[in-house]
Amino acid sequence: MGESPATIYDVATLAGVSIATVSRAINAIDSVRPSTRDRVLAAMEQLEFVPNSVARGLSSGKHWILGLVFMRASVESGVLGVEEASLLYTDIVIRGAESRAAELGYSLLLSSSDDTHPSNMSSILNLTGAVDGLILLDRVLKDDDVASLAKKTPVVLLSGSGECPTAVTVRVDNEQAMRSLAEHLVEAHDITQVGFVTGSNESPDSVARTLAFTTAITELGGQVNACDVLVSDWTSAGGESAMQARLERGEPLPQAFACANDQTAVGVIYALNARGIKVPDDIVVTGFDDITLTRYFNPPLTTIRQSGSILGEVAVDALVALLDDPDGAKATIVLPTQLVVRASCGCAKDLEPARLAQGELANAGGAT
């Protein structure tokens, strides 16, 4: 038989303190003197003692677990209904959240939901007894449901509208991002006739990007015709389908199409190429996200860069701040974006990074 794992009693004996002091040191309670905490931590390291999360919960009133809920990818006939790259972006957000949660002493519990909102609410409510708070990704719940959920547990929304008064929202600066893109198209390329390909109609990000871009283009003297606002669903297949339908109408195309995300732009370019319409020679196409493969597209894609990992990290920071001080938490945290200029807009060479919308991405955002 091997040796039994060290216990809190062993740590207390080696450090020369009480069990209660060890517990307070583990939970970073301010009443423990720094020298005492250092002695406890040294004893824990020497004994290779791993704190039990249940015991921590009993002493602190916390589970030390944060929940993160994302939209489940549909599977039909054994095939995912969305592209792998779309899942990759969600994975990047999750990895950022998991890393920051671990740094702060929390575990991250993942759960997925589908498009049936009542079912979502039931499954999410079941999580509230097991976690200290919840992070909800885009489209997981409607605002009315969020308000109800936030009465039971602290909630942080990723990519929400920012209009839910009972939850903290973490989002990127869609308004400045789309303005920087509109300015580049108008000022650098003299483009005045523009279209936009949306994401999901239920997504606050898609709604915000559509409105911000069309507004900016109009204010800069350009025009976005209603027939050139195409509805997609964040996927390449959706972008391809939306552009095919637009081409079938046989009406003249605008000079450019901006897309709500990079995956949509891929589908749009594919549909245009299939009709012999070349990007950027015949029409300009841009994206949003700067997923890993965008620089390797043909042509390389002009896009807006946002950091999924930083979104995840800041969401965890916001939730922990909400747990520590519910009254002092920021209502909305806005993260900067970056315009990345490549060949798909007609620029002769890869000029990235072109400009920052609001400072370096690493400087995680302002609040309103």
Side-chain angles (χ1 to χ4, degrees), residues 65-104:
I65 300 172
L66 307 178
L68 186 149
V69 187
F70 58 94
M71 289 299 292
R72 182 185 306 128
S74 60
V75 178
E76 298 176 5
S77 302
V79 178
L80 281 171
V82 298
E83 293 93 344
E84 184 178 351
S86 296
L87 299 177
L88 178 60
Y89 187 78
T90 299
D91 182 64
I92 292 171
V93 174
I94 291 172
R95 286 177 184 273
E98 184 178 32
S99 175
R100 181 54 57 88
E103 289 177 10
L104 298 175

Side-chain angles (χ1 to χ4, degrees), residues 159-247:
S159 307
S161 65
E163 297 176 358
C164 184
T166 56
V168 175
T169 298
V170 177
R171 65 177 180 85
V172 297
D173 193 342
N174 289 306
E175 294 74 21
Q176 181 58 37
M178 302 317 294
R179 174 162 286 278
S180 69
L181 176 61
E183 288 174 351
H184 179 74
L185 295 178
V186 172
E187 296 171 4
H189 299 286
D190 293 324
I191 290 174
T192 57
Q193 297 293 321
V194 189
F196 192 83
V197 189
T198 75
S200 167
N201 278 337
E202 292 186 351
S203 167
D205 269 345
S206 177
V207 173
R209 290 171 196 174
T210 304
L211 178 61
F213 184 73
T214 55
T215 299
I217 286 292
T218 302
E219 290 176 351
L220 291 166
Q223 185 175 6
V224 182
N225 293 323
C227 66
D228 291 323
V229 177
L230 313 182
V231 178
S232 184
D233 59 2
W234 296 120
T235 69
S236 298
E240 179 187 1
S241 177
M243 183 51 64
Q244 285 175 338
R246 173 64 178 83
L247 293 169

Side-chain angles (χ1 to χ4, degrees), residues 31-332:
S31 61
V32 180
R33 289 195 298 269
S35 60
T36 303
R37 180 179 292 111
D38 290 344
R39 202 160 69 246
V40 170
L41 295 179
M44 289 170 58
E45 183 176 358
Q46 182 178 334
L47 295 171
E48 298 182 350
F49 173 73
V50 178
N52 183 294
S53 61
V54 174
R56 293 174 69 201
L58 289 174
S59 64
S60 67
K62 287 185 177 182
H63 300 283
W64 293 95
I65 300 172
L66 307 178
L68 186 149
V69 187
F70 58 94
M71 289 299 292
R72 182 185 306 128
S74 60
V75 178
E76 298 176 5
S77 302
V79 178
L80 281 171
V82 298
E83 293 93 344
E84 184 178 351
S86 296
L87 299 177
L88 178 60
Y89 187 78
T90 299
D91 182 64
I92 292 171
V93 174
I94 291 172
R95 286 177 184 273
E98 184 178 32
S99 175
R100 181 54 57 88
E103 289 177 10
L104 298 175
Y106 289 85
S107 297
L108 192 67
L109 176 64
L110 302 180
S111 181
S112 62
S113 294
D114 56 28
D115 290 323
T116 58
H117 291 293
S119 171
N120 281 359
M121 192 59 178
S122 268
S123 61
I124 292 171
L125 281 173
N126 290 335
L127 291 175
T128 58
V131 300
D132 297 310
L134 288 168
I135 298 169
L136 307 182
L137 269 61
D138 189 28
R139 296 178 295 127
V140 167
L141 284 181
K142 296 177 180 178
D143 281 352
D144 289 346
D145 291 331
V146 171
S148 176
L149 179 65
K151 295 177 181 177
K152 300 179 176 9
T153 192
V155 175
V156 169
L157 303 176
L158 264 182
S159 307
S161 65
E163 297 176 358
C164 184
T166 56
V168 175
T169 298
V170 177
R171 65 177 180 85
V172 297
D173 193 342
N174 289 306
E175 294 74 21
Q176 181 58 37
M178 302 317 294
R179 174 162 286 278
S180 69
L181 176 61
E183 288 174 351
H184 179 74
L185 295 178
V186 172
E187 296 171 4
H189 299 286
D190 293 324
I191 290 174
T192 57
Q193 297 293 321
V194 189
F196 192 83
V197 189
T198 75
S200 167
N201 278 337
E202 292 186 351
S203 167
D205 269 345
S206 177
V207 173
R209 290 171 196 174
T210 304
L211 178 61
F213 184 73
T214 55
T215 299
I217 286 292
T218 302
E219 290 176 351
L220 291 166
Q223 185 175 6
V224 182
N225 293 323
C227 66
D228 291 323
V229 177
L230 313 182
V231 178
S232 184
D233 59 2
W234 296 120
T235 69
S236 298
E240 179 187 1
S241 177
M243 183 51 64
Q244 285 175 338
R246 173 64 178 83
L247 293 169
E248 289 296 331
R249 295 205 295 265
E251 301 168 0
L253 294 174
Q255 297 167 279
F257 273 102
C259 300
N261 71 334
D262 293 339
Q263 287 297 105
T264 299
V266 172
V268 167
I269 292 173
Y270 183 86
L272 291 168
N273 283 340
R275 295 293 187 96
I277 302 169
K278 300 302 180 185
V279 177
D281 296 342
D282 302 320
I283 192 170
V284 164
V285 177
T286 68
F288 196 115
D289 284 339
D290 196 29
I291 60 175
T292 305
L293 297 178
T294 51
R295 70 190 64 189
Y296 304 113
F297 291 164
N298 186 20
L301 189 66
T302 291
T303 187
I304 299 292
R305 178 177 296 160
Q306 63 169 331
S307 172
S309 62
I310 291 178
L311 275 169
E313 292 173 9
V314 174
V316 168
D317 286 340
L319 183 52
V320 171
L322 187 58
L323 290 168
D324 291 342
D325 183 8
D327 296 327
K330 300 172 181 176
T332 302

